[in-house]
């Protein structure tokens, strides 16, 4: 699946998008997998209360399933308007 | 419903004039425009990042929710992204209804929701440096009244 990062999450991880092969069942499992990879992921996902997630472009929760998802995006709380 | 996400400036006057033109059944039109505000350190650029694809869907969902809650004849949302200077228009919403109460309330609802539920992120570039604008508790609390 494609994993996308926006705003300071993108800056902290150092890329806007990457393709990840994973067996993770939920968003939380995917985060645990990413955090185990490298320190920059550990830093980006250190405080989940400062993050939001969208699965296939719909806002959702960290316990949401990602089975069959094409796209998971992580970003800080939104500041439009 | 019309939802537009674009980098280019828009003509607020022309959009407002064209909005719901010719509809004789709608007695009330409310328009709001958001302007890039200068900050204490002197804003050089406001950079607005968004999530192409999801942004349009999220705005359409918010506009559809407004149409479901209030009796609206027309709804317009325009939101820009990219690099903007102080004084530039970031976005506008317009609502039209038979009576003003629906148009006013729906416009406020649209503003409250698109502030914290549409995937935009603002980064301020000032003489003192750059920084992402934090979401505020007030913004989140504003959703609770709807």
């Amino acid at each position: 699946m494609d994993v996308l990062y926006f705003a300071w999450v993108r800056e902290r991880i150092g890329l806007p998008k990457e393709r990840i092969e994973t067996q993770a069942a939920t968003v939380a499992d995917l985060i645990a997998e990413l955090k185990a990879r490298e320190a920059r992921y550990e830093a980006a996902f250190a405080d989940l209360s400062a993050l939001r997630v969208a699965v296939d472009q719909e806002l959702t929760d960290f316990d949401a399933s990602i089975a069959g998802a094409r796209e998971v995006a992580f970003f800080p709380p939104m500041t439009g308007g | 419903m019309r939802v537009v996400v674009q980098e280019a400036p828009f003509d607020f006057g022309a959009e407002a004039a064209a909005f719901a033109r010719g509809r004789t059944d709608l007695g009330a039109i409310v328009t709001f425009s958001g302007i890039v505000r200068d900050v204490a350190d002197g804003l050089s650029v406001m950079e607005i990042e968004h999530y192409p694809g999801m942004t349009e869907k999220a705005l359409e969902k918010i506009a559809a929710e407004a149409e479901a809650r209030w009796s609206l004849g027309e709804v317009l949302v325009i939101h820009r992204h990219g690099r903007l200077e102080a004084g530039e228009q970031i976005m506008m919403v317009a609502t039209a209804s038979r009576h003003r109460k629906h148009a006013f309330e729906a416009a406020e609802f649209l503003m409250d929701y698109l502030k914290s539920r549409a995937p935009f992120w603002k980064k301020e570039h000032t003489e003192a440096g750059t920084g992402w604008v934090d979401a505020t508790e007030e913004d989140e609390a504003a959703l609770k009244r709807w």
Side-chain angles (χ1 to χ4, degrees):
Chain A
M1 73 181 69
D2 288 327
V3 180
L4 286 73
Y5 310 107
F6 292 94
W8 60 254
V9 183
R10 170 177 55 72
E11 291 176 340
R12 218 165 278 184
I13 289 173
L15 75 178
K17 184 177 180 174
E18 61 186 322
R19 187 138 192 101
I20 287 177
E21 301 304 329
T22 180
Q23 298 303 314
T26 66
V27 173
D29 294 343
L30 174 63
I31 290 173
E33 215 176 281
L34 290 170
K35 283 173 82 172
R37 280 183 164 194
E38 281 177 60
R40 58 196 169 109
Y41 293 96
E42 183 78 49
F45 292 107
D47 177 10
L48 290 190
S49 72
L51 288 178
R52 300 290 179 268
V53 61
V55 173
D56 287 337
Q57 306 190 347
E58 290 278 346
L59 278 175
T60 186
D61 302 315
F62 293 109
D63 56 7
S65 167
I66 54 170
R70 295 180 306 280
E71 196 169 294
V72 177
F74 295 102
F75 41 79
M78 295 151 274
T79 52
Chain B
M1 177 203 302
R2 185 168 152 246
V3 167
V4 183
V5 180
Q6 65 181 36
E7 189 162 2
F10 59 89
D11 182 339
F12 175 81
E15 294 290 349
F19 181 70
R21 179 181 281 162
R23 291 286 299 262
T24 55
D25 57 325
L26 302 170
I29 290 177
V30 167
T31 60
F32 170 87
S33 72
I35 312 293
V36 179
R37 187 177 57 230
D38 206 351
V39 295
D41 297 322
L43 187 79
S44 48
V45 170
M46 173 77 90
E47 191 183 334
I48 300 173
E49 183 171 332
H50 80 122
Y51 183 170
M54 181 176 166
T55 312
E56 293 81 355
K57 276 193 223 170
L59 292 175
E60 281 164 14
K61 196 173 161 189
I62 293 166
E65 177 70 22
E67 285 180 329
R69 286 178 180 228
W70 290 277
S71 172
L72 302 173
E74 298 277 351
V75 178
L76 168 67
V77 178
I78 302 177
H79 203 302
R80 294 177 65 194
H81 59 89
R83 297 168 74 86
L84 282 70
E85 290 175 18
E88 280 194 71
Q89 273 161 337
I90 303 182
M91 52 83 57
M92 72 173 283
V93 301
T95 53
S97 61
R98 286 181 66 80
H99 303 291
R100 70 178 186 276
K101 190 169 191 291
H102 285 245
F104 271 123
E105 285 185 7
E108 282 213 70
F109 169 89
L110 286 169
M111 285 311 307
D112 284 348
Y113 266 82
L114 74 80
K115 250 195 130 53
S116 26
R117 290 293 182 272
F120 290 100
W121 301 275
K122 294 194 184 103
K123 190 179 197 178
E124 290 173 344
H125 297 252
T126 69
E127 283 165 22
T130 63
W132 291 98
V133 175
D134 285 326
T136 67
E137 285 181 23
E138 288 80 9
D139 288 343
E140 196 60 33
L143 303 184
K144 293 205 171 70
R145 68 177 162 139
W146 301 111

